[in-house]
Amino acid sequence: MKEPAILAEALTKDFGPIHALSGIDLRLEKGEFLTILGPNGAGKTTLIKILATLMRPTSGLVRVAGYDLAEAGEALRRRIGVISHQTYLYENLTAYENLRFYGRMYGVQDLEDHIRGVLEEVGLKGRRDHLVRTYSRGMQQRLSIARALIHDPSVLLLDEPYTGLDQHATRMLTGLLARLRDGERTVILTTHQLSQGLELSDFVAILVRGRIVYQEKVAGLSLADLEDAYFQHVGQEYRWDTQ
Amino acid sequence: MGYTVRLWAIIYKDLVSEFRTKELFSSMFVFALLVLIIFNFAFSPGTRELQLVTAPGILWVAFTFAGALGLGRSFALEREKDCIHGLMLCPGDRGIIFLAKFLGNLLFMGAVEVITLPLFAIFFNVRILPILPSLTLILFLSTIGFASVGTLFAAMAAATKTREVLLPILLFPVAVPVIIAAVKSTGRVLEGRPLSEIAPWLNMLLSFDVIFLVICYITFEYVVEE
Amino acid sequence: MGIDERDKFRKWLAPALFLSMLAALYAAFVYAPTEATQGDVQRIFYFHVPSAWVAFLAFFVVFLGSILYLWKKDRRWDILASSSAEIGVLFTTMVLLTGPLWGKPIWGTYWSWDPRLTTTLILWLIYVAYFMLRAYAGERVKGARMAAVLGIIGFVDVPLIYLSVLWWRSLHPLPVVVRPGGPALPPSMLGSLMVSLLAFTLLYLYLLRERVLLERLNDEVEALKQKRR
């Protein structure tokens, strides 16, 4: 039997008395792209942090790329790339220095080639030796993608990557993701904006109050259908937030 | 092998970043200098004896206060842009983050001490050249102890809502043995006493260093994990 | 949970505590002889020393609870550690109040930087920081984990703090020796102290038990609140 790229069973996370996640089941095969929609505070970041080994679940099983989260933290971390709305970049270092730093931390072979490759991928080759401090928000986010790709992870976790990006940068990010998606990578993207990332996804899920309340194939699903489902589960009061 | 590469990678990026901004070193050094000057105002003009009695204490107040300033800043930098998460995502034992930050802080504190010490000798009219070897030993052992618990507490403080504010409150009570041992042994050495006389203090510093380096290395993971 | 357990425990603990406290009061104020040189003020000894004992016992329990919490990640150990830390701070406060009261007529000053009192003062500061850490951590589990680390470090630090303060006061550092102790206490004083120690230990157990149960009820209330949302 083939091992799914990402598997979560009965995953829960409590913060004291608060149930941030209750009974999450996920199954993604290699190369699939899942978008998780949900309002703020639904548990999206918590879910990503658990999958990325930044947070321990209260209970449940998580396997990423065939490795159990509880046992093989190290082997698993090599296969995960995380892009969040925070860049994880050092602002007083150049793009090149940042990438070289993370590359060394992952023990990447042929690091120089890799750095050239990912910089080209995100279109920042010309600004390789500029301090990250001098970058625009959009450029920082692109470099953040390069950072997440430096060790060629097979699983990409994107937590609200569109936050704070202007129109141009948003389009650029979508284009980049589309290219990444063509590869063998398995991707989970979280967002609170319905339209974003949808055209890239194979599946879409809605997360509300720590539960996945809706899961559907994107093929044949219209934005209007999705909107109806979303507001039915989330509640009308959120309609303004998301538009 | 991979361990030392990663350890050095973290220290190196902190050094490069610091060489560019010089914000840690300059603020620590100027603060240490200010402490020397302010305390000199507080205790002088006084007799030569009073000066000799107060000098070691003043020196260590300068070093530890400046040290706390630098320790707090070093982790605050990792919290900007959530870089600490980027570090935690990297494969391998997370104790390496502690060790690298500890060694970095040791370097910064050491650099400040090396520059401050001659100024101290001038301001307080003490001869440090003949006692330099013993003084170096005291500085080394004390700074290790202070920076070990300091690095761990800085990681804690940076993760709280109050950020750096909590650091001195956590650090100074726990570091009491280091501070007392450092002040007392520095005083003895300044009086020209032999090293054998301060052996118990050095033993205490050494035990503190070993015990807390081990505990901090092991518990660091619990401090940064969410 | 809770209620049955509590009654069973209370059935013997509360009366035992009450009786031992009466006995301790009697022993301290009536049975124990008046000390020849210090006079009646020495009777504070029967409260001062047991308070110190309870404080150290409490911090030792914090230490154990902290290790178990980090290891097992079970909220029960965290409740034990934090409850015990609260009681420990309470009793260190008592030590720090009764010490100077005793010291004033004997040494002539309220505070003389006596090694044991000074160590207690520093401990008090460490465990006050313990609660500040919990309060400012933002999220409870994170605060509990960080506090547990401090609970371990703080307790391991105790012997080093004590030794450093002891050596700091004496001109030359002394090798560690078991103190031969002053002149042995007369049996009646020793007996009174033992009764007092027993009463204070029972008081600690009683307070700890109540505090732990209170915290569990707190958790249940929080859980119910969450459910209602």
Side-chain angles (χ1 to χ4, degrees):
Chain A
M1 204 184 84
K2 223 180 81 198
E3 179 80 48
I6 298 175
L7 180 72
E9 277 173 7
L11 177 65
T12 66
K13 174 71 185 178
D14 299 339
F15 293 115
I18 301 158
H19 304 301
L21 293 176
S22 15
I24 300 286
D25 293 306
L26 275 181
R27 191 192 170 93
L28 277 182
E29 302 300 336
K30 194 175 167 199
E32 288 180 335
F33 193 123
L34 168 72
T35 296
I36 298 178
L37 295 167
N40 293 328
K44 300 188 300 277
T45 298
T46 305
L47 179 59
I48 294 287
K49 279 187 175 171
I50 288 174
L51 294 176
T53 76
L54 289 177
M55 211 181 248
R56 259 176 228 270
T58 305
S59 64
L61 172 94
V62 181
R63 290 175 73 80
V64 178
Y67 293 96
D68 197 307
L69 187 78
E71 288 155 20
E74 166 151 16
L76 190 147
R77 273 186 241 152
R78 275 186 201 287
R79 284 160 180 81
I80 298 175
V82 177
I83 298 160
S84 123
H85 44 276
Q86 292 286 5
T87 57
Y88 306 169
L89 296 170
Y90 294 92
E91 301 212 303
N92 292 320
L93 301 183
T94 64
Y96 171 76
E97 285 164 342
N98 265 293
L99 293 177
R100 190 182 51 182
F101 167 64
Y102 279 109
R104 282 181 181 161
M105 291 301 283
Y106 282 96
V108 174
Q109 305 290 315
D110 304 319
L111 187 54
E112 297 297 322
D113 292 345
H114 263 87
I115 292 176
R116 212 171 303 130
V118 289
L119 275 177
E120 198 150 353
E121 183 96 4
V122 298
L124 287 172
K125 219 174 151 193
R127 305 213 34 166
R128 161 184 191 269
D129 293 320
H130 291 224
L131 293 187
V132 171
R133 209 173 17 178
T134 64
Y135 278 30
S136 70
R137 171 81 186 111
M139 284 161 69
Q140 291 201 6
Q141 191 61 308
R142 269 148 61 198
L143 185 60
S144 170
I145 294 171
R147 170 194 54 73
L149 294 177
I150 192 74
H151 58 292
D152 199 15
S154 58
V155 171
L156 267 185
L157 304 170
L158 301 110
D159 186 22
E160 299 269 7
Y162 289 100
T163 307
L165 296 187
D166 59 25
Q167 285 259 296
H168 175 69
T170 301
R171 215 174 308 135
M172 198 133 188
L173 179 60
T174 306
L176 246 173
L177 291 178
R179 241 179 303 147
L180 292 178
R181 190 222 171 306
D182 287 340
E184 298 270 81
R185 289 196 180 85
T186 314
V187 185
I188 293 185
L189 174 121
T190 75
T191 175
H192 62 277
Q193 293 196 296
L194 294 185
S195 54
Q196 276 169 353
L198 195 63
E199 66 263 41
L200 303 169
S201 316
D202 300 307
F203 300 96
V204 60
I206 297 175
L207 185 70
V208 183
R209 289 186 202 92
R211 287 174 201 283
I212 290 183
V213 292
Y214 174 91
Q215 218 170 341
E216 198 56 67
K217 269 193 183 145
V218 170
L221 188 72
S222 74
L223 190 60
D225 293 343
L226 185 63
E227 253 177 29
D228 283 347
Y230 187 77
F231 292 118
Q232 188 195 327
H233 287 291
V234 173
Q236 287 295 328
E237 72 264 34
Y238 284 99
R239 194 175 271 272
W240 277 108
D241 291 2
T242 42
Q243 283 172 355
Chain B
M1 188 195 74
Y3 194 87
T4 46
V5 171
R6 279 179 295 173
L7 189 69
W8 176 242
I10 301 177
I11 300 172
Y12 181 76
K13 66 104 181 131
D14 279 345
L15 288 178
V16 170
S17 183
E18 174 60 22
F19 274 120
R20 231 157 247 164
T21 61
K22 297 172 189 72
E23 63 176 49
L24 264 178
F25 180 79
S26 54
S27 50
M28 282 167 83
F29 170 64
V30 173
F31 189 70
L33 192 62
L34 277 171
V35 170
L36 290 188
I37 294 167
I38 298 289
F39 272 83
N40 195 48
F41 287 146
F43 288 112
S44 68
T47 58
R48 176 78 186 132
E49 273 160 40
L50 180 70
Q51 205 176 28
L52 266 185
V53 171
T54 52
I58 296 169
L59 183 69
W60 280 100
V61 169
F63 286 169
T64 51
F65 279 40
L69 197 71
L71 287 164
R73 190 75 198 127
S74 83
F75 259 98
L77 284 171
E78 297 290 349
R79 285 279 160 190
E80 275 172 24
K81 307 286 169 192
D82 273 355
C83 288
I84 185 77
H85 286 154
L87 285 178
M88 286 165 64
L89 283 172
C90 298
D93 181 8
R94 281 170 185 158
I96 198 172
I97 305 173
F98 168 78
L99 204 56
K101 294 306 268 186
F102 160 73
L103 289 171
N105 287 325
L106 199 62
L107 276 178
F108 290 134
M109 278 188 75
V112 169
E113 287 168 357
V114 165
I115 311 275
T116 311
L117 209 52
L119 292 171
F120 166 76
I122 295 168
F123 287 162
F124 289 82
N125 194 20
V126 288
R127 286 168 57 83
I128 53 166
L129 270 183
I131 53 164
L132 206 54
S134 9
L135 207 53
T136 310
L137 185 63
I138 297 169
L139 282 173
F140 186 65
L141 290 176
S142 310
T143 310
I144 288 179
F146 190 78
S148 65
V149 283
T151 302
L152 185 79
F153 288 151
M156 280 193 195
T160 63
K161 285 184 285 188
T162 52
R163 301 280 148 163
E164 290 113 294
V165 177
L166 209 51
L167 175 61
I169 295 171
L170 292 167
L171 176 54
F172 282 102
V174 170
V176 157
V178 175
I179 296 171
I180 292 181
V183 171
K184 280 291 171 182
S185 47
T186 306
R188 286 277 180 289
V189 167
L190 283 181
E191 285 166 15
R193 301 301 186 86
L195 201 60
S196 61
E197 211 170 276
I198 59 165
W201 288 120
L202 296 180
N203 282 336
M204 170 179 290
L205 285 173
L206 194 65
S207 339
F208 189 98
D209 295 355
V210 172
I211 293 171
F212 285 105
L213 267 178
V214 172
I215 294 183
C216 293
Y217 186 89
I218 295 170
T219 54
F220 183 77
E221 167 119 36
Y222 299 105
V223 170
V224 287
E225 195 181 83
E226 284 179 37
Chain C
M1 49 180 179
I3 303 304
D4 291 345
E5 263 179 279
R6 181 160 69 172
D7 279 350
K8 208 166 69 190
F9 200 68
R10 260 189 173 165
K11 214 187 291 176
W12 66 269
L13 184 61
L17 172 63
F18 182 69
L19 289 177
S20 66
M21 279 180 117
L22 283 181
L25 282 172
Y26 176 81
F29 286 111
V30 183
Y31 174 68
T34 307
E35 217 265 353
T37 48
Q38 299 186 12
D40 273 332
V41 73
Q42 183 267 345
R43 292 180 195 276
I44 208 168
F45 167 75
Y46 303 110
F47 301 91
H48 179 75
V49 173
S51 298
W53 151 249
V54 167
F56 281 88
L57 176 65
F59 293 146
F60 179 61
V61 171
V62 176
F63 173 67
L64 291 182
S66 299
I67 292 176
L68 285 166
Y69 178 65
L70 291 184
W71 181 21
K72 303 277 187 198
K73 303 197 188 326
D74 187 338
R75 164 86 173 133
R76 278 189 317 187
W77 298 118
D78 176 45
I79 293 180
L80 180 73
S82 64
S83 302
S84 191
E86 267 181 31
I87 302 168
V89 168
L90 177 71
F91 280 89
T92 28
T93 310
M94 302 239 298
V95 175
L96 292 173
L97 291 175
T98 52
L101 283 181
W102 187 11
K104 177 68 177 163
I106 308 304
W107 299 323
T109 54
Y110 284 112
W111 193 262
S112 71
W113 296 103
D114 162 75
R116 273 166 289 193
L117 266 185
T118 308
T119 304
T120 311
L121 177 61
I122 292 161
L123 276 188
W124 186 83
L125 286 166
I126 291 178
Y127 290 91
V128 165
Y130 176 94
F131 285 106
M132 294 178 85
L133 193 56
R134 296 186 87 96
Y136 300 144
E139 196 255 300
R140 197 184 68 194
V141 179
K142 193 165 81 177
R145 223 168 16 221
M146 295 198 292
V149 171
L150 183 59
I152 294 168
I153 290 181
F155 192 78
V156 173
D157 209 16
V158 172
L160 289 168
I161 294 174
Y162 179 71
L163 262 189
S164 64
V165 176
L166 186 70
W167 290 353
W168 162 65
R169 294 296 286 161
S170 58
L171 215 62
H172 297 285
L174 300 164
V176 196
V177 285
V178 181
R179 283 240 186 133
L185 284 175
S188 56
M189 281 189 174
L190 190 67
S192 301
L193 178 63
M194 287 303 152
V195 174
S196 242
L197 281 174
L198 175 72
F200 271 75
T201 309
L202 289 177
L203 178 62
Y204 166 72
L205 290 175
Y206 180 77
L207 288 175
L208 183 65
R209 183 71 186 169
E210 292 298 309
R211 187 68 190 86
V212 164
L213 287 171
L214 184 65
E215 195 58 32
R216 282 196 204 156
L217 288 177
N218 239 337
D219 275 8
E220 281 177 39
V221 170
E222 285 300 318
L224 286 174
K225 270 192 201 158
Q226 283 301 317
K227 241 180 230 162
R228 275 200 55 196
R229 270 203 338 157

